[in-house]
Amino acid sequence: MRRLFGTDGVRGLANGELLTPELAVALSASAARVLVDRDRSHRPVAVVGRDPRASGEMLESAVVAGLASAGADAVRVGVLPTPAVAFLVGELDADFGVMISASHNPMPDNGIKLFAAGGHKLPDAQEAAVEAGLDTPAARPTGADVGRVRDLGDAGARYVDHLLSATPQRLDGLRVVVDCAHGAASTVAPDAYRRAGADVVALHAEPDGLNINEGVGSTHLDRLQRAVREDGADLGIAHDGDADRCLAVDATGAPVDGDQIMAVLAVAMRDAGELAGDTLVATVMSNLGLHLAMRDAGIAVRTTQVGDRYVLEELRAGGFTLGGEQSGHVVLPRDATTGDGLLTAMRLMARMAATGSSVAELAAIVTPLPQVLRNVQVVDKAAVAESPAVRDAVAAAEAELGGAGRVLLRPSGTEQLVRVMVEAPTAEQAQAAAGRLAEVVAAAH
């Protein structure tokens, strides 16, 4: 059996070949056995949340059944962002957490991601142990030892209170349009921003179980850009389906990506004495422009492989206080154990309020090098990435760019895609090189 866990949990077509209710039962039962202290001095407790996909109702029931069958109590928190579930694991002193979401993926997909005690993502070794437990016979509790299930009615309020306590400045005077992607933040994001003082226009905040991420949210900024311009708002904020991402647009509708947001927050935290080691942690996908801007600001950049879990590992290992990805996953470990799109947005708006600057003025610290990203659908992403023809094409592109740009190919962690990224001195050079590479990748077998 192929490895179940990708870079962000188990993900696939809900009720398809992989992500079935049967797997959800087995996976949650195995997690209840693996992720709990061995002394068993108490009944294990797991927090269970989901995004609003229709299949989440089915998978939530299966997860809860698996937990109870293994003797663990389930605390259902309902539809909430992934970072809210991570926060509540720590807030409730639970043994672990389960989030049912496929993040930015289309509605037919879903996923199961696990959080360890404290709300931290699982290291590879623990994921492997949970997966191995799927095939390990285990005793089944009976009678009073079967797990119980309860709902936490104030889960969203607790999370919003936490966000407010972690925001250093009120947002009075700012008008923001927030694109909730018909996802998990549809209620809590507008509520949090309003309670912090902002004037909020909620966009795509009517989830029906089928419309999540459907041409909206952080992967489709065009409607948000138009709404911000038409409304005359100060900025727009875009979340994805589970709201662990945050992208922005300025008052003209121009995009502000994760690199620019990280740069703004890094300078703000440096000025406040909160940027540990004057260091930012980013992935290999971050634009060269971010590195140059941070160098000029006297801020070091630590680089990791793609995936916010690897950013988190580097943050924890070095005791750093800010990291993230160009895609908008931003991690502030003093206030969150995983990427939190709502916290990121509130800290970005707090910087605007504190300085009286527009988001465009703040983001101008980064001058991005033209960057082109192509997602190429393939049958076997691992085999394509190892293809000699692909390696030769990458080497040729790197030789052509010399030291003035860079090339990065990597298999997606969640889909059968190979991502081709090229940075070059001009957009034309980047487009041409990325196009040639994409053709080679598509033809590789």
Side-chain angles (χ1 to χ4, degrees):
M1 184 179 182
R2 67 183 177 89
R3 190 172 189 271
L4 289 174
F5 286 92
T7 56
D8 201 14
V10 179
R11 197 175 294 186
L13 178 64
N15 216 28
E17 183 178 347
L18 172 65
L19 194 60
T20 62
E22 293 84 356
L23 176 66
V25 170
L27 194 68
S28 56
S30 178
R33 294 188 290 267
V34 170
L35 301 180
V36 177
D37 291 338
R38 296 297 90 193
D39 64 8
R40 296 288 186 172
S41 60
H42 66 284
R43 188 198 295 270
V45 176
V47 174
V48 181
R50 62 181 179 89
D51 72 23
R53 291 166 210 265
S55 61
E57 299 163 3
M58 169 187 72
L59 292 173
E60 179 190 57
S61 297
V63 164
V64 167
L67 294 171
S69 75
D73 290 349
V75 180
R76 291 186 301 204
V77 299
V79 174
L80 279 179
T82 290
V85 174
F87 162 73
L88 289 166
V89 172
E91 172 79 359
L92 300 176
D93 196 25
D95 293 278
F96 64 103
V98 185
M99 179 64 187
I100 301 162
S101 175
S103 189
H104 61 283
N105 282 28
M107 181 279 295
D109 288 351
N110 215 322
I112 299 174
K113 59 184 81 175
L114 301 174
F115 292 101
H120 298 285
K121 288 197 172 183
L122 301 189
D124 290 343
Q126 280 192 310
E127 285 186 343
V130 171
E131 190 166 328
L134 296 175
D135 301 317
T136 303
R140 290 178 176 272
T142 58
D145 292 330
V146 172
R148 305 297 298 273
V149 183
R150 65 183 176 92
D151 296 316
L152 187 67
D154 65 344
R158 290 191 189 210
Y159 174 57
V160 171
D161 286 345
H162 162 68
L163 293 173
L164 293 170
S165 70
T167 302
Q169 172 84 27
R170 283 193 56 81
L171 310 181
D172 301 279
L174 290 178
R175 183 167 175 83
V176 58
V177 180
V178 55
D179 184 345
C180 301
H182 296 307
S186 293
T187 297
V188 293
D191 182 37
Y193 304 155
R194 287 188 181 111
R195 286 183 57 189
D199 184 9
V200 179
V201 177
L203 188 67
H204 308 134
E206 298 176 345
D208 62 10
L210 305 179
N211 58 2
I212 186 170
N213 298 326
E214 190 175 27
V216 297
S218 62
T219 55
H220 301 86
L221 294 179
D222 52 315
R223 296 185 191 181
L224 176 62
Q225 291 169 309
R226 185 166 59 250
V228 168
R229 289 193 297 266
E230 291 175 352
D231 186 81
D234 295 296
L235 79 160
I237 293 293
H239 296 303
D240 59 337
D242 71 336
D244 60 357
R245 294 189 191 196
C246 168
L247 295 179
V249 302
D250 68 20
T252 72
V256 178
D257 68 13
D259 284 346
Q260 293 167 300
I261 292 171
M262 285 191 291
V264 172
L265 298 189
V267 171
M269 293 173 68
R270 181 205 61 192
D271 292 349
E274 298 174 346
L275 190 67
D278 284 344
T279 297
L280 168 68
V281 178
T283 77
V284 294
M285 290 296 290
S286 280
N287 193 280
L288 184 59
L290 173 66
H291 291 261
L292 297 176
M294 294 297 91
R295 183 195 65 189
D296 293 344
I299 295 171
V301 179
R302 294 281 189 99
T303 304
T304 75
Q305 61 181 302
V306 174
D308 66 337
R309 64 181 301 167
Y310 303 111
V311 172
L312 281 159
E313 288 174 4
E314 184 67 19
L315 287 168
R316 294 177 71 182
F320 302 122
T321 50
L322 177 64
E325 299 183 278
Q326 187 186 61
S327 60
H329 285 109
V330 176
V331 186
L332 293 143
R334 288 184 177 172
D335 298 304
T337 56
T338 189
D340 190 327
L342 279 72
L343 177 62
T344 301
M346 292 180 79
R347 294 292 288 264
L348 176 64
M349 289 188 282
R351 183 62 171 174
M352 293 173 64
T355 61
S357 300
S358 69
V359 70
E361 291 167 334
L362 294 172
I365 186 175
V366 176
T367 303
L369 207 65
Q371 183 185 82
V372 174
L373 177 64
R374 297 283 185 88
N375 293 323
V376 184
Q377 194 81 39
V378 297
V379 175
D380 185 341
K381 59 189 177 185
V384 169
E386 294 299 320
S387 163
V390 171
R391 287 200 299 266
D392 289 346
V394 170
E398 289 175 334
E400 178 185 327
L401 293 170
R406 66 186 182 115
V407 175
L408 179 67
L409 258 70
R410 71 174 187 89
S412 166
T414 58
E415 303 170 81
Q416 281 295 341
L417 299 173
V418 171
R419 306 194 192 281
V420 178
M421 189 274 282
V422 177
E423 290 176 350
T426 69
E428 292 75 14
Q429 286 175 287
Q431 289 280 6
R436 288 193 297 270
L437 285 171
E439 289 178 2
V440 175
V441 169
H445 298 286

